[in-house]
Amino acid sequence: MLQKPRGTRDFLPAEMEQRRAVERTMRETAARWGYGEVCTPTFEEIELFTLRSGEGIIQEMYAFEDKGGRMLSLRPEITASVLRMYVNEGRMLPKPVRWCYYADCFRYERPQKGRYRQFWQFGVELIGADTAAADAEVIMVASDILAGSGVTFDLHVGHLAPMKHLLSGLENGIQRRMMAYLDKRDFEGLRVFCETAGAAGRYDALVALPECRTVEELRDLCGNLPELSRIEDVVGILDAEGLTYTPDFGIARGLDYYTGMVFEAFAENLGAENQICGGGAYRLAYLFGGEDVPSCGFAIGFDRVLVSLGEVAGSRPVVTSVLYTPAARQQAFAVARQFRAADLRAEMNLIDRGIGAQMKHAAKTADFAIVLGERECQTGTVTLRNLHSGEQRECTVDDAIAGVKAFGSC
Ligand code: HAM
């Protein structure tokens, strides 16, 4: 038996219904904030991702050469594509540009619960505004979308400036390694690495960073950095808006393009892969041939949100099974059409079998059966049977539709 590729999943209709419902609420929330949906290609020139996405992502890419000898990659994330699209199509648009997307990404990671090789992201990008209000808006949109999905989460908001200040003067590669240790809160790993990199003197300040909760504490640790007033402004807006979050200056993010404010959200009931959203302020457009436009955005790990929500019993639409004798087939098609025109789900029997076998199948799959035999065809009526209670009556098609609707609305 052939199996699906490792790290991918199949979704049955019940799961798809839940996914579509969550997707719809996310889209609607984004739209209320003014974000219009865009769509970019599933694969891109490999360069788009190697320019700035960072080591981790490059090693995980599904890269390939096409028949024309072009080096391409399935998208490991969508921000780079959206910024490429902005440079190609959106430069003349009035700023800021507010775009959102929902699409699948591909990363060659070791699969486990909440970590897949094909996964979906719902994200937004705010392009062309470099203000505290823009940073705050993006954080609030993320919080609003997550809350709307029903997931319970902790939001952590930080800024890269204090960490970069504490690492300044060190070689880029060393800085990145230290940021990764700090991001994972691997203080022991950080201590050993600081010693081997000849930077043991930086350790105490670095481990104190994630403990800072206020701008005053940051000032004590890092001195009077120019970015502190921006941090103060963002925090001021979030507090005035009543957002619940934790200031966290230990966030480094896994991608290399971030420049300022960064934030992440974590779901409470997931294991190791509990980060359900990540984002921040970044610059990418200039790398793709555009101006140096400031941007800010985030992506929600849609699949992790669904794992966190667990199975939710959806409101199953009422199903009517249309059963008929061979002579009544034409009539059955017409009745099913009238049910669908009334916005009801009607399923025709498609397999040649007797009314008894049809009824057995209907009892397993539907709420109602419409039976059409010779008598019903002659009188232009139908027999409507409630498959839950066993009650049945002969009536007109309109009455049957009204009866099924009444059941659906109770
Ligand atoms: P990211 O943190 O790499 O950021 O991914 C965003 C979210 O996607 C993560 O928080 C996580 O929930 C989910 N995710 C990542 N990898 C996997 C995986 N293998 N399986 C399931 N879920 C996963 C970005 O991708 C940035 N483009 C976010 C952004 C937008 N920054 C600015 N704008």
Side-chain angles (χ1 to χ4, degrees):
M1 196 169 26
L2 280 179
Q3 298 292 341
K4 58 191 177 298
R6 203 164 128 74
T8 65
R9 286 150 301 152
D10 297 318
F11 303 107
L12 287 163
E15 202 172 346
M16 277 313 290
E17 242 168 69
Q18 191 191 354
R19 290 175 71 88
R20 289 291 186 225
V22 175
E23 187 193 323
R24 196 161 43 245
T25 65
M26 290 190 173
R27 231 183 231 120
E28 284 167 3
T29 310
R32 281 198 288 273
W33 285 84
Y35 289 77
E37 186 169 1
V38 293
C39 180
T40 60
T42 307
F43 54 87
E44 297 268 7
E45 303 272 346
I46 196 166
E47 226 192 325
L48 186 73
F49 306 113
T50 51
L51 278 173
R52 191 45 63 87
S53 293
E55 278 297 304
I57 288 273
I58 291 171
Q59 281 164 14
E60 289 166 1
M61 270 196 304
Y62 274 90
F64 59 97
E65 188 179 331
D66 77 358
K67 288 179 182 163
R70 297 173 198 90
M71 280 312 292
L72 303 171
S73 172
L74 297 182
R75 55 187 171 211
E77 58 123 19
I78 307 172
T79 306
S81 299
V82 170
L83 267 289
R84 190 232 355 103
M85 174 176 170
Y86 166 79
V87 171
N88 295 159
E89 330 267 352
R91 271 193 284 185
M92 305 313 282
L93 295 171
K95 287 189 208 44
V97 169
R98 287 184 173 91
W99 282 344
C100 69
Y101 48 82
Y102 170 75
D104 50 354
C105 302
F106 306 85
R107 295 185 191 174
Y108 193 81
E109 297 198 81
R110 201 166 46 77
Q112 63 183 69
K113 187 179 169 204
R115 201 205 283 156
Y116 312 101
R117 291 184 174 169
Q118 182 196 23
F119 61 97
W120 276 258
Q121 287 189 342
F122 187 95
V124 318
E125 309 297 345
L126 173 63
I127 306 166
D130 186 7
T131 58
D135 289 347
E137 170 168 309
V138 167
I139 297 166
M140 290 190 289
V141 174
S143 174
D144 208 10
I145 292 178
L146 287 172
S149 77
V151 75
T152 309
F153 62 96
D154 281 333
L155 187 62
H156 288 218
V157 177
H159 196 288
L160 291 179
M163 195 184 288
K164 288 205 164 150
H165 169 77
L166 296 180
L167 296 169
S168 64
L170 295 171
E171 194 194 298
N172 266 351
I174 292 182
Q175 288 198 19
R176 252 187 240 129
R177 291 280 301 275
M178 288 187 174
M179 286 171 84
Y181 280 119
L182 210 51
D183 194 59
K184 281 195 237 132
R185 301 289 193 272
D186 180 357
F187 297 136
E188 183 51 24
L190 179 67
R191 192 186 58 74
V192 173
F193 187 79
C194 281
E195 275 167 18
T196 46
R202 313 235 181 180
Y203 176 75
D204 287 344
L206 283 171
V207 294
L209 197 53
E211 302 306 317
C212 288
R213 291 285 171 267
T214 64
V215 172
E216 288 66 44
E217 287 169 8
L218 282 177
R219 199 170 279 125
D220 288 346
L221 191 67
C222 306
N224 208 5
L225 298 176
E227 290 86 354
L228 293 189
S229 67
R230 171 74 164 256
I231 297 174
E232 217 156 28
D233 264 11
V234 175
V235 165
I237 297 171
L238 299 181
D239 290 346
E241 284 296 302
L243 201 81
T244 307
Y245 68 97
T246 308
D248 181 350
F249 300 94
I251 299 176
R253 303 285 300 128
L255 294 147
D256 276 358
Y257 45 63
Y258 296 101
T259 50
M261 182 278 292
V262 282
F263 69 104
E264 290 175 344
F266 303 91
E268 284 164 1
N269 59 348
L270 300 179
E273 302 302 323
N274 64 344
Q275 196 195 112
I276 53 167
C277 174
Y282 62 92
R283 295 195 181 238
L284 270 178
Y286 75 99
L287 288 172
F288 309 148
E291 299 153 43
D292 188 13
V293 199
S295 323
C296 192
F298 65 84
I300 291 171
F302 186 81
D303 308 271
R304 292 186 186 172
V305 168
L306 271 117
V307 174
S308 177
L309 287 173
E311 260 177 59
V312 181
S315 58
R316 198 173 86 100
V318 186
V319 185
T320 312
S321 218
V322 184
L323 325 181
Y324 52 88
T325 56
R329 191 180 66 183
Q330 204 56 38
Q331 182 74 357
F333 270 105
V335 169
R337 176 158 35 82
Q338 282 169 271
F339 266 67
R340 292 182 198 121
D343 218 14
L344 289 169
R345 186 184 288 206
E347 291 177 4
M348 288 282 286
N349 167 60
L350 297 177
I351 298 174
D352 291 335
R353 48 189 165 187
I355 289 281
Q358 291 184 48
M359 190 65 86
K360 254 193 193 153
H361 174 77
K364 286 186 205 147
T365 57
D367 301 296
F368 287 91
I370 288 283
V371 187
L372 289 152
E374 213 172 305
R375 196 185 62 238
E376 287 88 353
C377 277
Q378 275 165 9
T379 55
T381 58
V382 298
T383 295
L384 175 70
R385 183 180 174 90
N386 180 327
L387 294 166
H388 299 281
S389 66
E391 272 171 53
Q392 78 175 45
R393 64 189 160 103
E394 200 176 326
C395 57
T396 63
V397 178
D398 284 346
D399 278 350
I401 288 173
V404 172
K405 280 198 164 166
F407 174 84
S409 60
C410 65

